[in-house]
DNA sequence: TAGTGGTCTAGACCACGGG
DNA sequence: CCGTGGTCTAGACCACTAG
């Protein structure tokens, strides 16, 4: 593991152990250098990482301070896959699992020229027994050679990362607010024309290859979102 | 201006001039070092900045590649204030401008103990003649000592940054999907119970002081959102 | 195995903040 | 003025990619 990653984790632990909250000061850079026995550049890299995650912010000439921790019960739109803590993968129902040729609409989205084999999965995610989000995902077999209904009951992304040892790198998201149609409403246990958030994702692998696109329809009653803007565009 | 900032801008210009698109390669690090006459660390810092902005991504052992440019017509939720290109500040209508004591709800949000003087502004933003978002903002006088209805017709944030020379640092956003009430619907030229996105923001200054909170209600017909997840957490 | 990006160090000097 | 963070350099060595 990388040194700056280790240092970042240690600083995070330090904040937790000391019970520091928003506005509290952590040790100065020189002290951190001595505490962890690394160079200044490594400390700075670790702090940059934490600043991007929203854990700390630095004030020149003054110190390094703790930022508000993420709040539980909210779905993060910016972190990968949207649902980190909130969506319990034990509570996923697979509505459809099929191997098909990539439909035309998704072909354009994923910039595929030729006819591509893919997996198509429709799932409904629950939290505390309530339906949170209806998901329709396409995975290119070219990059995700194996998938099963069994796997789809858990976290597919986790399987891709850990099972297939494939790095997911970044994503583009397009969002709009919509009225539910009859079918969507039925699945989400809502009424037709009820409001919803539609998120269309395109996901990229380590070398920039598009391997997945998904449509997510969130239940307005059961989902709240948050986003901590990253500090620093170092 | 900082060197890495300048280098980042030059690389961006390079991409534009050469007309590079997603997946195209830019010169290797050694070449960039020579092109711009700076050290490797400075180039890396510039590239990190661009990676966070979603302009490029690096592939170890292979090269540095261009990422999809942001798409116009969409509102970015993650960049400050949400509306960069889309919201035309010429098209803002000030519905209310008052100097009051901070209400209790906002007091909690902004973590103020004492009664604080503030400006309260309600505005409606248009784009191409269509109402996009209804905004209700509170600004603490402690940090924003002056504001006027005239200023509120343009970009208040721009005024704070440039006019008051005050740095805005980061923000927390809480979002949910709602049904419009009668009043909101009327202003946004929609029907009662139509869907909407409600965003509650809290904004922080350079040293972590909360100076503003806002509620934004987006018109579902006239607003689309996008978010490019940043590449790299350094 | 050559090419290219990634990590890390040690140290110089700059810039801002607050007493 | 001193303390603290910010920028930058030069260079060593590691890790991954691709032909």
């Amino acid at each position: 593991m990388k040194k700056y990653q280790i240092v970042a984790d240690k600083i995070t632990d330090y904040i937790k152990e000391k019970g520091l909250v928003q506005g509290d000061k952590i040790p100065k850079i020189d002290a951190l250098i001595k505490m962890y026995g690394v160079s200044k550049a490594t400390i700075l890299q670790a702090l940059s990482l934490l600043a991007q995650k929203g854990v700390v912010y630095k004030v020149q000439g003054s110190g390094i301070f703790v930022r508000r921790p993420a709040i539980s019960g909210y779905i993060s739109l910016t972190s990968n896959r949207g649902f980190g803590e909130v969506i319990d993968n034990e509570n996923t129902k697979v509505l459809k699992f099929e191997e098909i040729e990539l439909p035309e609409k998704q072909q354009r989205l994923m910039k595929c020229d030729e006819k591509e084999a893919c997996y198509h999965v429709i799932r409904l995610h629950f939290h505390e027994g309530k339906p949170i989000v209806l998901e329709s995902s396409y995975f290119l077999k070219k990059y995700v050679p194996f998938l099963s209904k069994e796997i789809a009951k858990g976290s597919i992304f986790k399987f891709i990362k850990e099972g297939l040892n494939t790095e997911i790198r970044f994503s583009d998201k397009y969002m709009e607010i919509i009225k539910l149609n009859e079918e969507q409403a039925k699945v989400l246990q809502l009424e037709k024309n009820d409001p919803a958030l539609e998120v269309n994702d395109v996901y990229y692998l380590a070398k920039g290859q598009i391997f997945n696109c998904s449509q997510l329809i969130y239940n307005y009653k059961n989902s709240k979102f948050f986003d901590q803007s990253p500090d620093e565009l170092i």
Side-chain angles (χ1 to χ4, degrees), chain A:
Chain A
M1 204 181 196
K2 296 152 198 168
K3 254 186 189 173
Y4 68 82
Q5 197 31 285
I6 294 170
V7 171
D9 290 347
K10 282 183 180 170
I11 293 173
T12 307
D13 289 344
Y14 177 93
I15 291 168
K16 279 185 197 157
E17 277 164 24
K18 297 270 179 181
L20 303 184
V21 298
Q22 173 146 24
D24 287 346
K25 214 169 182 170
I26 71 171
K28 60 184 176 182
I29 291 181
D30 281 352
L32 294 172
I33 290 172
K34 279 163 196 158
M35 278 167 70
Y36 303 121
V38 296
S39 74
K40 185 174 176 183
T42 304
I43 293 289
L44 288 177
Q45 212 167 357
L47 289 174
S48 271
L49 217 177
L50 294 177
Q52 280 180 65
K53 286 191 186 170
V55 177
V56 301
Y57 58 94
K58 290 177 268 181
V59 179
Q60 193 174 49
S62 177
I64 304 156
F65 301 87
V66 175
R67 224 179 127 178
R68 177 193 306 213
I71 287 167
S72 72
Y74 282 74
I75 297 166
S76 166
L77 281 174
T78 43
S79 75
N80 254 2
R81 201 73 295 220
F83 25 84
E85 301 164 22
V86 173
I87 302 293
D88 184 351
N89 276 299
E90 300 302 309
N91 282 314
T92 293
K93 195 171 162 190
V94 181
L95 304 182
K96 181 179 268 190
F97 184 90
E98 54 179 0
E99 307 183 25
I100 57 171
E101 207 170 70
L102 195 65
E104 217 175 304
K105 184 188 162 194
Q106 278 71 25
Q107 238 179 80
R108 280 195 302 278
L109 253 176
M110 302 173 80
K111 303 189 174 172
C112 297
D113 289 330
E114 303 162 42
K115 308 222 173 228
E116 289 282 355
C118 72
Y119 291 99
H120 177 214
V121 185
I122 299 181
R123 305 190 292 178
L124 185 60
H125 301 277
F126 295 83
H127 180 59
E128 293 175 354
K130 288 181 275 185
I132 299 284
V133 57
L134 175 62
E135 175 200 10
S136 172
S137 282
Y138 297 84
F139 296 89
L140 289 186
K141 280 195 175 180
K142 194 159 52 168
Y143 303 119
V144 184
F146 178 71
L147 218 54
S148 71
K149 192 167 179 178
E150 206 50 46
I151 292 166
K153 284 179 189 164
S155 169
I156 295 178
F157 269 44
K158 195 178 170 195
F159 169 73
I160 290 172
K161 281 189 263 189
E162 295 170 14
L164 298 176
N165 202 26
T166 299
E167 188 196 346
I168 296 166
R169 195 70 188 271
F170 48 81
S171 69
D172 299 332
K173 279 181 200 295
Y174 302 90
M175 291 169 273
E176 48 192 304
I177 307 136
I178 60 164
K179 287 183 180 179
L180 291 174
N181 64 33
E182 202 146 354
E183 198 188 348
Q184 295 165 337
K186 197 178 164 193
V187 176
L188 288 169
Q189 298 171 22
L190 294 170
E191 301 297 321
K192 190 185 171 190
N193 288 331
D194 268 353
L197 178 67
E198 176 182 329
V199 181
N200 283 287
D201 283 322
V202 179
Y203 277 88
Y204 298 75
L205 297 178
K207 291 173 222 163
Q209 320 96 307
I210 299 176
F211 77 100
N212 161 260
C213 72
S214 329
Q215 182 198 59
L216 301 166
I217 310 279
Y218 285 92
N219 181 312
Y220 82 106
K221 283 188 180 168
N222 304 332
S223 51
K224 292 184 175 189
F225 308 90
F226 84 95
D227 172 54
Q228 253 184 330
S229 90
D231 183 32
E232 279 199 332
L233 283 178
I234 260 248

